[in-house]
Amino acid sequence: MTNNDDYILELLLDTCLITPAQLEEAKAEATTGQSPVETLIAREIVSRDDVLRCLAAHSSMEYVDLSQMAISAEVISLVPLDIARRYKVVPIANVDMGLMMATSDPLNFDTFDTVTHLIGRDVEWVCASPDQIQAALQKYYGLEEGGGSDINFGQEGVDESDAPIIKMVTMILLEAYKMRASDIHLEPLEKSFRVRFRVDGVLLEVQSPPKKLQSAIVSRIKIMTGSMSIAEKRLPQDGRIQVKIGKSQLDLRVSTIPTNHGESVVMRILDKTGLQLGLPQLGFLSDDQEIFERLITLPDGILLVTGPTGSGKSTTLYACLNHINRPDRKIITVEDPVEYQMNGINQVQVHADVGMTFPAALRSMLRQAPNIIMIGEIRDLETASIAINASLTGHLVFSTLHTNDAPSAVARLVDIGVQRFLVSSAVRAIVAQRLVRKLCPKCKKPHELTDAELRGLRLERSQVEGATVMKAVGCDACRKLGYKGRLGIFELFLIDDEVRYMVNEGASTVELRKRARELGMRTLREDGVRKVLAGITTAEEVISATMSDSN
């Protein structure tokens, strides 16, 4: 209150809480570091509670006792932890005006304006004691005394930690992390600056900052990368940001591109905790997991993971490497870009502009005597040829291809120029995958499949009797979406001697798919059906993800 001492003293005098003589004595006794108001409180002429009640009354604020209130989890969820802690405010209840919020500083109008903007709701302010605010923060948000900020950018930006733009960017990143977003999209439109988060593959629009702050926010993000120019607004740029939120270390891949209404920014969030995913968390059911574990421990050959962009191929490859990473194995990867940095693994970043292409990196890495090689993607004949030669000389090779299903990968390799006998000799298995959203475990409810859903899943009603089919509902835990997280659905195409013969003889993709089915391969849709009947996901998700599945 030291910034408003004269105002507070005048109020205390007007309300007869102190006398003119006591006021003069307090001014005379006040020392450097202690204001007259603090002196009055120290001498017990007035209490801190008296001062707050006086200020609240003069500001037309109700003075409340938080210790006598039970605040619902729904109300607490309306104000993010970082906002509550940073501004020392506590949401109390939904009211006609919007949200009732408690503060212990009734004169801090900057806080009122900032918090109102950040939460995107009208606020009715009430006053409570600092001790009760702190106790409520501990009770409802689980905060400890002296706890630091949840988000940490290292030393960068420390001197400017109170700047509004820095706070706003910080809040965007924190909220994206809390919502488990994979991407943050900052999109300049004609009259607004739209912010959207991609959560479980779906874009969700969130509270957007004012259009007038667009340029400042984009500049702040560029500065955080340490490599992007804030002066260059006509060309695309790329950069990276490392940030620690709580105990999680995140890498943000930043991309900007100029548009008609300013620079569009996309930040891809790479959460390193995802590296610890086990095979069950990827979505493999027990029988497929057993097969897959055997495949990734083979001594040599190529294991291909296929699917369109955004189908989780990279996550699957990283999970494989994490599963087999041991001190007695040397693992080298060639990636463009290196998305996650993994302990105990040698990772090579492609730099085509200086000659470090996929083929050049692969040729060099083979001289490093690795046991296992991971290639981010097979894009051309040269890369494919080196990968195949590596597999035929005793190396286990992991890589990805862009094909819709597993059998089509053979045709794709042949199309880029690989000879059929090399494909049949080197490839051990092909895995196709898609991602579907998982039902929220807290709110999912039993569901009877409709006739349309049965047709979409290619099932008869008799086939679902006794199954645990569930539907999405929505609750606070999943932000009313009904889903929380994603998992894979898979095709496992194992290459046996007959398949090798068929490949050599020029068999079509249709013929290879027929043989794969004879070997027990389930299609993407059939694997999805198993997860629908187990109550893990919904028919809608599986049908949407497998529209191209013709079998």
Side-chain angles (χ1 to χ4, degrees):
M1 298 180 196
T2 54
N3 293 335
N4 300 284
D5 265 2
D6 289 342
Y7 175 71
I8 295 171
L9 291 170
E10 185 178 337
L11 279 181
L12 295 175
L13 196 60
D14 288 346
T15 54
C16 300
L17 288 174
I18 61 173
T19 65
Q22 289 171 328
L23 172 58
E24 294 306 318
E25 288 176 7
K27 286 182 176 180
E29 291 180 17
T31 60
T32 302
Q34 186 178 58
S35 69
V37 174
E38 294 295 334
T39 300
L40 289 168
I41 293 172
R43 292 183 58 195
E44 298 184 351
I45 294 173
V46 293
S47 68
R48 197 173 299 278
D49 195 55
D50 290 334
V51 175
L52 276 176
R53 286 180 182 275
C54 179
L55 289 173
H58 195 265
S59 302
S60 300
M61 280 189 193
E62 181 184 356
Y63 193 84
V64 300
D65 184 354
L66 292 181
S67 66
Q68 301 300 313
M69 294 184 174
I71 307 172
S72 72
E74 180 182 359
V75 168
I76 291 295
S77 70
L78 296 175
V79 178
L81 178 152
D82 194 63
I83 293 178
R85 173 155 60 189
R86 184 182 296 275
Y87 298 102
K88 293 182 172 57
V89 296
V90 177
I92 295 175
N94 277 309
V95 292
D96 291 340
M97 286 186 61
L99 185 63
M100 182 179 287
M101 191 98 74
T103 177
S104 61
D105 191 352
L107 300 182
N108 196 335
F109 301 107
D110 286 342
T111 287
F112 302 161
D113 291 342
T114 301
V115 170
T116 299
H117 168 73
L118 288 175
I119 67 173
R121 296 170 64 103
D122 291 332
V123 177
E124 178 182 327
W125 291 98
V126 298
C127 190
S129 73
D131 290 345
Q132 288 195 358
I133 292 284
Q134 183 60 34
L137 290 173
Q138 292 175 8
K139 177 178 179 180
Y140 296 107
Y141 288 94
L143 305 184
E144 297 179 359
E145 290 281 359
S149 173
D150 269 352
I151 189 164
N152 179 12
F153 299 99
Q155 295 302 310
E156 189 273 328
V158 169
D159 294 336
E160 303 175 281
S161 60
D162 292 327
I165 296 300
I166 294 177
K167 287 182 179 180
M168 192 165 293
V169 172
T170 298
M171 291 310 306
I172 290 172
L173 296 178
L174 183 62
E175 188 65 16
Y177 172 75
K178 288 172 60 180
M179 291 180 66
R180 302 174 296 102
S182 60
D183 305 275
I184 302 171
H185 295 253
L186 306 175
E187 302 165 316
L189 305 179
E190 183 178 3
K191 296 181 180 179
S192 64
F193 188 42
R194 182 169 65 180
V195 179
R196 295 192 290 176
F197 299 158
R198 190 180 298 279
V199 180
D200 295 334
V202 178
L203 278 172
L204 303 175
E205 188 164 352
V206 298
Q207 179 69 25
S208 299
K211 175 73 172 177
K212 64 183 180 181
L213 299 181
Q214 172 182 309
S215 179
I217 290 172
V218 173
S219 294
R220 169 62 185 164
I221 292 169
K222 287 182 175 181
I223 290 170
M224 288 165 62
T225 69
S227 61
M228 298 171 73
S229 169
I230 61 173
E232 181 55 75
K233 300 180 180 180
R234 300 166 299 170
L235 296 173
Q237 296 188 66
D238 296 292
R240 295 189 82 137
I241 298 171
Q242 287 194 331
V243 55
K244 187 175 183 182
I245 297 181
K247 296 181 179 180
S248 296
Q249 183 72 38
L250 306 185
D251 279 341
L252 307 178
R253 281 213 330 252
V254 183
S255 170
T256 66
I257 190 169
T259 72
N260 287 343
H261 304 295
E263 289 180 281
S264 174
V265 181
V266 174
M267 291 184 279
R268 174 87 184 276
I269 302 174
L270 305 172
D271 185 354
K272 292 185 177 180
T273 58
L275 293 179
Q276 306 306 316
L277 283 178
L279 299 182
Q281 285 73 45
L282 291 178
F284 285 106
L285 297 181
S286 57
D287 52 353
D288 283 345
Q289 181 181 332
E290 184 178 344
I291 296 170
F292 196 70
E293 286 181 351
R294 177 172 57 82
L295 291 173
I296 65 177
T297 54
L298 290 172
D300 56 30
I302 295 179
L303 175 64
L304 292 173
V305 181
T306 75
T309 300
S311 59
K313 300 187 299 295
S314 295
T315 300
T316 297
L317 288 183
Y318 280 116
C320 291
L321 296 183
N322 186 57
H323 185 79
I324 60 179
N325 186 15
R326 297 203 311 251
D328 62 340
R329 291 172 173 165
K330 179 159 185 174
I331 303 175
I332 303 182
T333 74
V334 181
E335 305 171 63
D336 183 21
V338 173
E339 292 191 347
Y340 298 98
Q341 296 177 0
M342 302 183 70
N343 292 329
I345 292 178
N346 301 277
Q347 294 173 270
V348 178
Q349 169 73 56
V350 169
H351 290 289
D353 53 339
V354 296
M356 179 63 91
T357 60
F358 268 104
L362 282 168
R363 282 191 292 269
S364 298
M365 73 165 17
L366 290 174
R367 293 192 285 271
Q368 297 281 312
N371 302 105
I372 298 162
I373 297 169
M374 192 269 271
I375 306 168
E377 181 185 348
I378 293 179
R379 303 178 179 181
D380 51 45
L381 176 58
E382 191 174 6
T383 303
S385 298
I386 297 172
I388 286 173
N389 288 332
S391 72
L392 296 176
T393 53
H395 302 85
L396 179 61
V397 180
F398 295 96
S399 192
T400 70
L401 275 178
H402 285 279
T403 64
N404 285 331
D405 60 12
S408 297
V410 172
R412 173 64 180 149
L413 290 173
V414 173
D415 286 345
I416 64 175
V418 181
Q419 297 182 56
R420 287 183 172 274
F421 79 92
L422 290 175
V423 175
S424 64
S425 300
V427 179
R428 296 286 182 267
I430 304 165
V431 181
Q433 71 175 72
R434 299 288 189 279
L435 292 176
V436 295
R437 290 184 292 174
K438 293 190 293 186
L439 282 162
C440 174
K442 293 190 175 181
C443 64
K444 63 182 181 181
K445 290 186 177 179
H447 171 62
E448 183 176 344
L449 291 171
T450 65
D451 291 339
E453 288 172 332
L454 288 169
R455 286 194 300 272
L457 296 175
R458 303 190 183 101
L459 293 175
E460 299 293 334
R461 192 163 296 279
S462 60
Q463 294 176 275
V464 301
E465 291 180 1
T468 314
V469 179
M470 296 286 183
K471 67 176 180 179
V473 178
C475 65
D476 291 339
C478 61
R479 296 180 178 264
K480 310 298 183 183
L481 297 174
Y483 298 93
K484 194 170 185 180
R486 290 190 291 177
L487 80 162
I489 55 176
F490 303 94
E491 282 183 355
L492 294 181
F493 181 20
L494 307 182
I495 310 297
D496 68 354
D497 289 339
E498 184 174 340
V499 172
R500 292 189 182 93
Y501 175 79
M502 293 173 67
V503 172
N504 283 334
E505 293 299 309
S508 68
T509 298
V510 172
E511 291 170 324
L512 291 176
R513 172 170 281 273
K514 181 180 178 182
R515 174 56 185 164
R517 302 280 278 142
E518 291 171 356
L519 290 172
M521 183 189 82
R522 278 180 290 269
T523 66
L524 290 166
R525 181 161 295 184
E526 287 170 344
D527 190 46
V529 165
R530 294 203 301 166
K531 288 156 188 174
V532 171
L533 301 185
I536 300 172
T537 188
T538 62
E540 179 184 7
E541 283 291 299
V542 171
I543 293 169
S544 175
T546 59
M547 290 295 290
S548 62
D549 189 349
S550 59
N551 292 279

